């Protein structure tokens, strides 16, 4: 393969290479020992060398060198594992380059020409591999070249896809191409001699919408913090809008909330993202949501087929989806017929004989002596072979780990209500349903079961059906003993999570008898603690206690644990992380559904945030916290059958039932009372026979005369009404809305975090708010593109302080971008960055907060240094200010004004030393320790490195040499015990520092015999050289420095992505 040209000083060091072919400019070499008899001692030695040394020494056995006549330097331009591969490269060089090189007179031109050609070949290979994955490789290759040419982004910025469209500026459309890459969306247009191009980072996108206006039929509107853009006239608007939403969602998850949200492993490696992967990922997300499968399931095949449905006595057409552990079928019309078959239940998958009535049939046999027939399968042979391979693997695992045979479940509840005739009638209906549609995870799920669930599941079957509908039963069966082990590991450990659990145990259904005794409380404690131990990223979140307590009422303890796993990790993804992002996203989706499905209510109540804040508890607790218990359990029944779709539908039905009163409400409090009063009166089936109670006099006086009074509602009727009015809401629609609204929620959350951080830090630093905001962005990106420094359970700081902190490597990278002196990449700057990090890390946790970083950066601000020295000597703030300390240079104002108004160096030095003495007396700041000779020499080396590259470099070197000589003399004089009468204040300060150091070292007096100087002596010496004063007090254009840092950081980021691609 072609390689980026790498310099080689010795073409055949240690005789490790043998030249096979050569000409005037190129050498083809073979690694000595490769292909030779092993008896030769040289081959043995080289082979041992390549085997023993590290990976850098394990080279490919063949390589091609570029050599220029008369030069001792060569460049490796190609390598290969086999001679045939390298010979192809050699032949290309001979036929295409060799004759051209003979015309060059300058050998440097030869080198540049060949290196440019090789880099072009490498780029072409990369484009070819990427283009080969697309439907039309040639067109994509052409688009990739244009993308690189027009926008000049880093080479690692991978183009995912592109679309022809128009970008609107007011009423003027501009026809061009929209390019979508892993980090940006870019538009280019060249029409009538006018070029228009711009780039929008995905991290800046705050909102995506599909809009329709008079000028354009339908368009995609992209909002950023600065402006909005509209794109239309796509050949396939749905496809373009879906890809834009996916890429923005993925980028924001990765950049803004990499810890809080689950992201598929493929999408965690941005350089592997292609249009095809995005399409597959969209289907996978839909399948996981529709069948509520574990988040780790991988989607393998999607095939159109028909399944024999005995209850309908016909074949039902739909789609078959196969994953690691499941066969899933959904009818063409979502929800009409759903079939879920865990592979753990399957005995065999066999092909049957094809007939005219049954084309390409496949028979799936399960352990309950049932079989499912699938027909009209394309590529049946490959599909069956793939399924059988996974089935054999799963059966082997079951044979290894299964500890007992299957037995019929025994549903034992913690507490069951007395059965009534209605319960018996429900049980008979369910038994009839099981006879017709099957029992267990693999039963057919149709509209009939929907009606049965809406009536409420009988208490005797509730636990079993919850386990079945959520498929928690499969998890339980495949993890025998897992829960018991978790309980043993987790019990007895104390942490913040367990403390939160203990506080909430007695708040979980406090009125229910099951949780008024130690037995129920202990079971709830074990379930919650075991789950926190299983998933420390979630740990424990409020509302989990309410949900777990309800699960324990109808299922055994281990079953309740697996039901909680299903809810938290599959059915309500991202709901219970530390920022409840999933719940916030669904609230944003709910607001849009209100506008779409209840337009009259949305028109009367323009600000829907009040309604969504009320509905947040509906989603987090599945209505358990707002409905009477028996009614709320019916909602949980629907949730286990339909997932989050049931909560959306029921929420819309509740608002629809109260639309008139909500429209007439005058404030948020009244709207809350209306909804609370309504939900409190939603009863079970027995409430349907109760006549509607008229409102009391007090209620009538509080309500509008035109608004109908709140009536008692029946939960079954309310659920059925939600299905009738809003049953056309599909899982696919919800997933698409979630993708769009997640962008808005993440950006809003990030803006809030940024505002809080800036509000806390701004009073303590001297940086302008605009620059401080940019510094925050730099700080955040430095943290996001490296391993996270955020630590769970760190309660010593506020959330804002914990949100973004840098470890040492991250700090050093950002330090090199912002330091106000040149030479940001040399060794001494790295040393200085380490020392600065240690200085700022006051709590010694190896992390620096944004507040600490901003305070350090603010010390380089010229205006704050001027202010600190022009304050009154008696001003108490002078003593408290951390900026007036021994770890920053003294500012000398020589810019303007009369000479009488400008203090000379000696007066300023006296003023500074007097302030330091006062600080010591008042214990405001501990004096700096004395510096020994070795430390002082290292300090001078650091100053030399800081001056390197400065325009006044020569003057600065002379000045620091003078200062170094002076300080060495001062130190030597002090070492010999000599004193100077003119340095009274300096001696006092030195003595104070020496006594403090002696106290710290236990008073052993060892420092008295050392060569030492004080900070005051060093500072006084520095101030004698005007060149040094000017250097340290040179104004820093922080705005320009930040802009430069952002550019450099972007390219560092791109390089990191390339590195990730190489290691993935």
């Amino acid at each position: 393969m072609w390689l980026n040209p790498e310099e080689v000083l010795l073409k055949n060091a240690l005789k490790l290479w043998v030249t096979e072919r050569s000409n005037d400019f190129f050498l083809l070499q073979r690694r000595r020992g490769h292909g030779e008899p092993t008896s030769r001692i040289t081959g043995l030695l080289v082979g041992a060398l390549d085997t023993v040394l590290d990976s850098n020494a394990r080279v490919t056995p063949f390589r091609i060198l570029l050599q220029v006549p008369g030069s001792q330097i060569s460049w490796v331009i190609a390598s290969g594992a086999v001679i045939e591969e390298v010979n192809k490269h050699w032949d290309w060089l001979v036929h295409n380059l060799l004759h051209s090189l003979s015309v060059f007179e300058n050998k440097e031109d030869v080198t540049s020409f060949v290196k440019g050609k090789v880099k072009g070949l490498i780029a072409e290979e990369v484009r070819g591999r990427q283009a080969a994955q697309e439907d039309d490789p040639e067109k994509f290759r052409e688009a990739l070249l244009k993308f690189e040419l027009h926008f000049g982004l880093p080479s690692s910025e991978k183009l995912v896809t592109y679309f022809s469209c128009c970008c609107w500026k007011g009423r003027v459309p501009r026809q061009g191409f929209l390019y979508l890459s892993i980090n940006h969306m870019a538009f280019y247009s060249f029409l009538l001699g006018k070029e228009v191009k711009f780039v929008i980072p995905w991290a800046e996108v705050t909102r995506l919408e599909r809009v329709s206006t008079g000028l354009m039929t339908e368009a995609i509107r992209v909002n950023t913090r600065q402006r909005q853009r509209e794109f239309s006239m796509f050949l396939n608007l749905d496809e373009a809008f879906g890809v834009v939403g996916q890429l923005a969602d993925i980028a924001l998850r990765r950049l803004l909330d990499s810890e809080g949200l689950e992201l598929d492993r493929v999408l965690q490696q941005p350089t592997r993202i292609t249009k095809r992967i995005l399409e597959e990922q969209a289907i996978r997300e839909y399948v996981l949501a529709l069948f509520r499968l574990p988040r780790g399931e991988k989607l393998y095949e999607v095939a159109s087929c028909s399944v024999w449905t005995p209850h309908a006595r016909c074949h039902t057409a739909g789609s078959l989806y196969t994953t690691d552990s499941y066969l899933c079928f959904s009818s063409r019309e979502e929800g009409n017929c759903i079939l879920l078959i865990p592979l753990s239940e399957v005995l065999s998958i066999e092909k049957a004989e094809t007939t005219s009535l049954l084309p390409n049939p496949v028979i799936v046999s399960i352990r309950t002596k049932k079989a499912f027939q699938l027909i009209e399968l394309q590529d049946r042979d490959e599909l069956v072979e793939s399924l059988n391979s996974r089935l054999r693997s799963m059966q082997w695992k079951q044979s290894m780990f299964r500890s007992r045979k299957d037995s019929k479940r025994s549903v034992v509840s913690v507490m069951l209500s007395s059965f009534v005739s209605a319960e018996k009638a429900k049980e008979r209906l369910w038994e009839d349903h099981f006879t017709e549609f099957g029992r267990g995870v693999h039963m057919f799920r149709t509209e009939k079961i929907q009606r049965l669930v809406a009536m409420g599941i009988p208490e005797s079957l509730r636990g079993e059906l919850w386990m079945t509908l959520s498929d928690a039963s499969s998890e339980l069966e495949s993890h025998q003993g897992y829960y018991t082990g978790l309980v043993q590991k987790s019990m007895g450990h104390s942490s913040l999570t367990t403390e939160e659990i203990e506080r909430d145990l007695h708040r979980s259904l406090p009125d229910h008898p099951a949780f008024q005794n130690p037995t129920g409380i202990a079971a709830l404690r074990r379930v919650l603690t075991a789950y926190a131990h299983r998933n420390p990223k979630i740990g424990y979140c409020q509302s989990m206690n309410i949900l777990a307590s309800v699960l324990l009422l109808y299922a055994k303890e281990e079953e309740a644990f697996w039901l909680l796993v299903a809810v938290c990790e599959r059915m309500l993804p991202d709901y219970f992380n530390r920022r409840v992002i999933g719940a916030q996203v669904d609230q944003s989706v709910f607001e849009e559904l209100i506008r779409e499905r209840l337009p009259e209510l949305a028109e009367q109540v323009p600000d829907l945030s009040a309604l969504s804040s009320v509905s947040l508890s509906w989603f987090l607790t599945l209505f358990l916290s707002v409905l009477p218990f028996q009614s709320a359990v019916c909602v949980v029944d629907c949730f286990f059958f339909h997932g989050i779709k049931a909560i959306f539908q029921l929420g819309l039905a509740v608002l629809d039932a109260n639309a008139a009163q909500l429209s007439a409400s005058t404030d948020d409090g009244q709207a809350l009372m209306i909804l609370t009063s309504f939900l409190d009166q939603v009863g079970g089936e027995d409430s349907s026979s109760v006549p509607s109670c008229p409102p009391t006099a007090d209620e009538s006086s509080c309500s509008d005369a035109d608004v109908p009074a709140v009536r008692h509602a029946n939960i079954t009727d309310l659920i059925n009404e939600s299905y009738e009015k809003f049953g056309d809401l599909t899982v696919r629609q919800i997933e698409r809305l979630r993708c769009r609204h997640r962008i808005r929620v993440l950006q809003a959350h990030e803006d809030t975090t940024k505002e809080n951080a800036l509000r806390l830090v701004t009073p303590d630093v001297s940086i302008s708010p605009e620059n401080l905001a940019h510094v925050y962005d730099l700080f955040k990106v430095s943290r996001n593109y490296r391993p996270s420094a955020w630590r769970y359970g760190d309660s010593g700081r506020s959330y804002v302080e914990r949100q973004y902190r840098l470890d040492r490597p991250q700090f050093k990278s950002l330090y090199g971008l912002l330091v106000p002196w040149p030479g940001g990449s040399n060794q001494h700057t790295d040393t200085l960055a380490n020392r600065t990090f240690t200085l700022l890390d006051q709590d010694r946790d190896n992390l620096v907060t944004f507040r600490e970083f901003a305070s350090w950066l603010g010390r380089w601000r010229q205006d704050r240094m001027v202010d600190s020295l022009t304050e009154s000597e008696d001003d108490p703030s002078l003593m408290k200010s951390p900026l007036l300390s021994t770890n920053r240079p003294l500012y000398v104002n020589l810019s303007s004004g009369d000479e009488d108004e400008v203090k000379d160096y000696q007066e300023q030095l006296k003023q500074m030393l007097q302030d330091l003495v006062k600080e010591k007396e008042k214990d405001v700041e501990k004096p700096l320790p004395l510096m020994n000779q070795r430390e002082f020499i290292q300090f001078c080396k650091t100053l030399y490195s800081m001056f390197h590259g400065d325009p006044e470099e020569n003057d600065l070197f002379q000045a620091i040499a003078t200062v170094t000589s002076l300080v060495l003399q001062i130190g030597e004089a002090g070492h010999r015990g000599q004193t100077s009468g003119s340095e009274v204040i300096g001696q006092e300060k030195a003595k104070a520092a020496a006594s403090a150091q002696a106290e710290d070292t236990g008073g052993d007096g060892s420092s008295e015999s050392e060569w030492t100087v004080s900070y005051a002596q060093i500072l006084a010496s520095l101030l004698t050289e005007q060149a040094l004063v000017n250097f340290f007090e040179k104004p820093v254009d922080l705005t320009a420095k930040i802009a430069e840092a952002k550019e450099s950081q972007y390219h560092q980021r791109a390089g990191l992505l390339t590195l990730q691609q190489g290691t993935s």
Side-chain angles (χ1 to χ4, degrees):
M1 61 179 177
W2 297 108
L3 302 175
N4 276 319
E6 182 178 351
E7 191 175 282
V8 178
L9 292 178
L10 297 175
K11 291 179 287 188
N12 199 10
L14 302 177
K15 304 293 184 180
L16 297 180
W17 293 91
V18 177
T19 300
E20 297 284 334
R21 304 170 70 176
S22 65
N23 54 43
D24 292 339
F25 296 97
F26 302 106
L27 293 175
L28 192 157
Q29 295 184 331
R30 171 179 52 82
R31 189 73 164 171
R32 187 177 293 277
H34 183 79
E36 297 178 357
T38 56
S39 59
R40 297 183 61 175
I41 187 66
T42 307
L44 288 173
L45 289 174
V46 175
L49 183 67
D50 290 343
T51 304
V52 173
L53 294 183
D54 60 12
S55 59
N56 292 327
R58 297 179 191 143
V59 296
T60 53
F62 299 96
R63 70 179 184 180
I64 297 177
L65 298 181
L66 165 66
Q67 63 170 7
V68 179
S71 175
Q72 296 298 317
I73 300 175
S74 301
W75 286 267
V76 180
I77 59 174
S79 67
V82 294
I83 188 63
E84 290 79 11
E85 179 185 5
V86 181
N87 278 335
K88 289 182 180 179
H89 293 339
W90 178 269
D91 293 339
W92 188 92
L93 292 170
V94 171
H95 291 100
N96 295 279
L97 290 187
L98 190 59
H99 296 294
S100 302
L101 298 180
S102 59
V103 302
F104 288 95
E105 297 180 358
N106 191 336
K107 59 184 179 181
E108 294 182 357
D109 294 339
V110 173
T111 303
S112 299
F113 179 75
V114 175
K115 290 167 70 175
K117 283 291 185 181
V118 172
K119 290 180 180 179
L121 290 171
I122 294 173
E124 189 66 21
E125 283 185 353
V126 173
R127 295 190 194 99
R129 287 195 298 268
Q130 187 175 350
Q133 303 176 15
E134 303 298 326
D135 297 333
D136 193 335
E138 291 303 321
K139 286 187 176 180
F140 188 84
R141 186 193 299 266
E142 181 182 351
L144 184 58
L145 288 171
K146 291 180 179 179
F147 174 71
E148 295 172 351
L149 175 65
H150 295 324
F151 302 103
L153 296 173
S155 57
S156 61
E157 184 63 19
K158 180 179 178 181
L159 179 66
V160 177
T161 189
Y162 66 99
F163 297 96
S164 173
C165 67
C166 281
C167 177
W168 291 79
K169 184 176 181 181
R171 296 177 176 270
V172 180
R174 291 170 176 161
Q175 181 65 36
F177 284 91
L178 182 65
Y179 299 90
L180 307 179
S181 68
I182 55 177
N183 290 310
H184 304 87
M185 63 183 305
F187 178 79
Y188 182 84
S189 173
F190 187 82
L191 194 63
L192 300 177
K194 186 173 183 180
E195 183 183 58
V196 176
K197 64 178 179 181
F198 55 84
V199 177
I200 303 174
W202 293 123
E204 295 297 322
V205 175
T206 58
R207 188 168 185 168
L208 292 175
E209 294 178 292
R210 290 179 65 163
V211 297
S212 180
T213 65
L215 294 176
M216 40 190 166
T217 54
E218 205 167 12
I220 298 175
R221 176 177 293 167
V222 180
N223 290 335
T224 65
R225 291 181 174 85
Q226 289 76 32
R227 61 178 304 170
Q228 69 179 28
R229 305 273 189 179
E230 292 179 349
F231 305 93
S232 67
M233 299 186 183
F234 291 91
L235 294 177
N236 191 332
L237 183 67
D238 292 335
E239 178 187 9
F241 188 64
V243 174
V244 169
Q246 278 184 283
L247 287 172
D249 179 38
I250 292 167
L252 289 175
R253 286 203 210 191
R254 192 176 70 249
L255 299 182
L256 304 183
D257 202 84
S258 56
E259 295 162 350
L261 294 173
E262 296 292 338
L263 194 60
D264 188 74
R265 184 176 299 176
V266 175
L267 302 181
Q268 292 175 358
Q269 301 171 346
T271 52
R272 296 181 57 185
I273 296 176
T274 63
K275 183 181 177 182
R276 184 174 302 174
I277 285 180
L278 291 179
E279 293 171 351
E280 293 173 355
Q281 186 66 17
I283 298 174
R284 176 181 174 274
E285 291 289 337
Y286 168 69
V287 172
L288 294 183
L290 179 62
F291 298 97
R292 299 181 289 284
L293 303 181
R295 306 301 296 177
E297 286 293 304
K298 181 180 178 181
L299 181 65
Y300 285 97
E301 294 96 6
V302 179
S304 298
C305 70
S306 296
V307 171
W308 175 255
T309 48
H311 57 275
R313 294 180 175 83
C314 67
H315 284 90
T316 300
S319 297
L320 176 71
Y321 306 94
T322 68
T323 68
D324 292 303
S325 308
Y326 295 90
L327 288 174
C328 311
F329 173 82
S330 176
S331 57
R332 289 177 180 172
E333 186 175 348
E334 184 184 296
N336 279 355
C337 181
I338 289 179
L339 179 63
L340 181 65
I341 307 176
L343 284 180
S344 58
E345 297 286 326
V346 175
L347 290 177
S348 64
I349 302 175
E350 300 173 323
K351 295 179 287 187
E353 183 179 353
T354 298
T355 65
S356 58
L357 296 178
L358 302 174
N360 296 331
V362 171
I363 305 299
V364 179
S365 302
I366 60 175
R367 289 189 296 174
T368 55
K369 298 181 181 180
K370 288 182 60 177
F372 298 92
Q373 183 188 76
L374 292 78
I375 63 172
E376 298 176 345
L377 278 164
Q378 300 294 328
D379 301 323
R380 179 184 63 165
D381 295 344
E382 291 82 358
L383 176 63
V384 172
E385 182 179 354
S386 175
L387 287 173
N388 277 321
S389 175
R390 296 200 293 277
L391 179 61
R392 287 192 295 269
S393 176
M394 178 162 291
Q395 289 174 341
W396 178 83
K397 291 179 182 178
Q398 289 177 342
S399 66
M400 294 294 292
F401 298 107
R402 186 177 302 224
S403 59
R404 60 181 176 83
K405 294 183 179 180
D406 296 327
S407 60
K408 188 174 181 180
R409 294 182 64 259
S410 175
V411 180
V412 181
S413 301
V414 178
M415 187 162 196
L416 291 177
S417 304
S418 59
F419 289 102
V420 294
S421 58
E423 288 289 305
K424 293 293 185 182
K426 289 180 184 178
E427 290 177 11
R428 287 194 297 270
L429 290 174
W430 276 99
E431 292 297 335
D432 294 341
H433 182 274
F434 292 149
T435 302
E436 184 178 2
F437 293 87
R439 188 167 189 163
V441 176
H442 40 70
M443 67 179 172
F444 288 98
R445 306 179 191 190
T446 64
E447 292 183 354
K448 184 174 181 180
I449 193 174
Q450 173 181 303
R451 292 192 292 270
L452 289 177
V453 170
M455 294 168 58
I457 298 175
E459 293 195 355
S460 59
L461 297 175
R462 183 163 275 144
E464 175 189 353
L465 284 171
W466 283 0
M467 294 289 289
T468 296
L469 296 174
S470 65
D471 193 36
S473 56
S474 297
E475 294 283 329
L476 172 61
E477 185 177 352
S478 61
H479 293 82
Q480 295 294 330
Y482 177 82
Y483 174 70
T484 303
L486 273 183
V487 171
Q488 294 174 351
K489 292 178 183 178
S490 60
M491 298 306 292
H493 293 280
S494 179
S495 64
L496 290 176
T497 300
T498 56
E499 291 175 6
E500 292 176 2
I501 291 173
E502 289 297 328
R503 283 198 301 267
D504 288 346
L505 285 177
H506 296 277
R507 305 174 187 172
S508 310
L509 303 184
D511 297 331
H512 201 287
F515 298 101
Q516 294 176 353
N517 61 78
T519 303
I521 294 295
L524 181 59
R525 177 187 296 110
R526 289 192 294 269
V527 170
L528 292 175
T529 306
Y531 183 78
H533 193 78
R534 164 189 167 88
N535 193 343
K537 182 175 287 188
I538 291 178
Y540 171 76
C541 179
Q542 284 188 347
S543 78
M544 287 174 63
N545 60 316
I546 298 175
L547 180 60
S549 60
V550 173
L551 299 177
L552 279 169
L553 292 176
Y554 298 99
K556 292 185 290 186
E557 185 176 316
E558 186 173 5
E559 294 172 342
F561 169 79
W562 286 110
L563 284 170
L564 185 64
V565 170
V567 172
C568 294
E569 298 177 10
R570 292 194 271 130
M571 304 183 74
L572 295 177
D574 303 325
Y575 259 61
F576 300 101
N577 56 36
R578 57 190 172 88
R579 286 159 48 166
V580 292
I581 294 295
Q584 294 184 48
V585 171
D586 280 352
Q587 291 311 294
S588 185
V589 172
F590 191 53
E591 287 185 28
E592 179 161 339
L593 290 175
I594 294 173
R595 295 188 183 93
E596 179 184 334
R597 302 301 182 101
L598 302 173
E600 295 181 357
L601 176 61
E603 184 178 352
Q604 295 295 326
V605 186
D607 184 11
L608 296 176
S609 58
L611 295 181
S612 62
S613 63
V614 173
S615 63
L616 179 61
S617 63
W618 303 353
F619 285 77
L620 281 173
T621 66
L622 307 179
F623 282 89
L624 288 168
S625 62
V626 294
L627 283 175
F629 179 75
Q630 292 299 328
S631 300
V633 173
C634 293
V635 176
V636 178
D637 295 340
C638 297
F639 170 74
F640 277 115
F641 178 64
H642 262 141
I644 197 63
K645 171 186 171 182
I647 307 301
F648 278 114
Q649 291 177 173
L650 187 61
L652 291 172
V654 169
L655 295 181
D656 184 43
N658 295 273
Q661 288 182 304
L662 291 173
S663 299
S665 62
T666 57
D667 54 50
D668 297 345
Q670 187 176 355
L672 174 62
M673 292 300 297
I674 292 170
L675 293 174
T676 302
S677 177
F678 175 83
L679 292 171
D680 284 342
Q681 298 178 39
V682 175
E685 289 187 357
D686 55 341
S687 65
S688 59
S689 60
V690 178
S692 299
C693 299
T696 63
D698 294 337
E699 292 173 341
S700 299
S701 61
C702 295
S703 61
D704 193 295
D706 299 330
V707 178
V710 177
R711 299 178 300 169
H712 286 280
N714 176 267
I715 185 62
T716 301
D717 294 339
L718 188 61
I719 291 173
N720 285 328
E721 184 179 351
S722 72
Y723 283 125
E724 292 172 5
K725 292 187 175 181
F726 310 107
D728 57 335
L729 180 65
T730 65
V731 173
R732 191 183 299 274
Q733 291 172 350
I734 293 174
E735 287 303 304
R736 288 175 176 172
L737 289 172
R738 278 176 166 177
C739 183
R740 284 172 43 205
H741 287 269
R742 192 180 295 112
I743 298 169
R744 188 184 312 174
V745 169
L746 284 175
Q747 289 286 22
H749 201 285
E750 189 64 23
D751 290 343
T752 301
T753 303
K754 181 177 180 179
E755 290 172 3
N756 292 337
L758 295 180
R759 186 179 66 252
L760 292 174
V761 173
T762 299
D764 299 332
V765 299
S766 60
I767 304 175
S768 67
E770 295 79 9
N771 283 337
L772 188 61
H774 293 310
V775 170
Y776 178 91
D777 294 335
L778 287 168
F779 193 90
K780 178 185 67 178
V781 173
S782 294
R783 178 257 187 189
N784 275 328
Y785 275 90
R786 290 170 179 82
S788 173
W790 194 90
R791 294 179 180 176
Y792 289 91
D794 188 352
S795 60
R797 300 178 183 271
S798 67
Y799 170 75
V800 172
E801 290 179 316
R802 286 187 284 112
Q803 180 62 17
Y804 293 122
R805 290 185 286 169
L806 301 185
D807 58 19
R808 191 177 295 268
Q810 294 166 345
F811 174 83
K812 287 163 64 175
S813 174
L814 187 56
Y815 180 94
L817 296 176
L818 290 174
V819 287
W821 47 78
S825 61
N826 57 53
Q827 177 183 356
H828 288 289
T829 300
D830 186 74
T831 302
L832 194 57
N834 277 317
R835 294 173 181 172
T836 306
F837 181 87
T838 303
L839 180 66
L840 297 181
D841 183 21
Q842 298 178 359
D843 54 4
R844 298 296 180 263
D845 61 351
N846 290 319
L847 296 171
V848 170
T849 66
F850 175 66
R851 179 195 292 273
E852 294 165 343
F853 183 83
S855 297
W856 165 79
L857 192 62
R859 294 174 187 174
W860 298 104
R861 291 282 297 163
Q862 176 183 352
D863 53 351
R864 185 60 178 265
M865 295 182 188
V866 176
D867 294 340
S868 65
L869 288 173
T870 56
E871 290 175 357
S872 170
E873 179 182 343
D874 299 326
D875 187 353
S877 64
L878 188 66
M879 301 297 108
K880 299 177 181 179
S881 172
L883 296 176
L884 184 60
S885 62
T886 57
N887 55 13
R888 68 166 182 84
L890 177 67
Y891 177 74
V892 182
N893 185 358
L894 298 176
S895 58
S896 62
D898 297 333
E899 294 182 359
D900 295 336
E901 297 176 359
V902 180
K903 296 182 179 180
D904 58 20
Y905 296 143
Q906 290 78 9
E907 291 176 350
Q908 291 193 48
L909 176 60
K910 290 179 180 179
Q911 181 69 46
M912 172 63 81
L913 295 181
Q914 289 172 2
D915 292 339
L916 292 175
V917 171
K918 290 180 180 179
E919 287 183 6
K920 171 62 180 175
E921 293 173 352
K922 296 185 178 182
D923 293 328
V924 174
E925 182 176 334
K926 187 177 181 180
L928 290 177
L930 298 177
M931 184 179 290
N932 61 34
Q933 192 172 37
R934 181 187 61 81
E935 293 168 342
F936 175 70
I937 293 174
Q938 183 63 36
F939 170 72
C940 295
K941 289 181 179 180
T942 302
L943 290 180
Y944 271 107
S945 69
M946 292 167 58
F947 302 151
H948 182 70
D950 191 271
E952 305 295 331
E953 181 177 353
N954 293 334
D955 293 340
L956 290 169
F957 284 164
Q958 293 177 5
I960 195 60
T962 303
V963 170
T964 302
S965 177
L966 178 59
V967 175
L968 287 173
Q969 293 176 14
I970 294 174
E972 188 64 29
H975 183 56
R976 293 196 303 265
Q978 297 178 358
T979 60
S980 173
S982 61
E983 297 284 348
V984 177
I985 300 178
Q987 288 179 8
E988 291 178 355
K989 177 58 185 173
K991 290 178 181 178
S995 62
Q997 186 179 24
E999 291 175 2
D1000 293 340
T1001 58
D1004 56 8
S1006 60
S1007 61
E1008 295 179 359
S1009 61
E1010 267 191 289
W1011 183 102
T1012 58
V1013 292
S1014 67
Y1015 169 77
Q1017 293 168 333
I1018 295 175
L1019 182 61
S1021 302
L1022 289 173
L1023 290 174
T1024 62
E1025 293 294 329
Q1026 183 65 39
L1028 296 178
V1029 173
N1030 292 340
F1031 175 82
F1032 283 110
E1033 298 307 323
K1034 185 186 301 180
V1036 178
D1037 188 352
L1038 191 58
T1039 303
K1041 196 68 182 176
I1042 290 173
E1044 180 183 344
K1046 282 191 171 183
E1047 182 71 18
S1048 300
Q1049 190 182 62
Y1050 177 84
H1051 289 284
Q1052 284 184 3
R1053 210 165 62 199
L1056 183 60
L1057 289 176
T1058 304
L1059 181 62
Q1060 289 176 347
Q1061 184 181 21
T1063 57
S1064 60

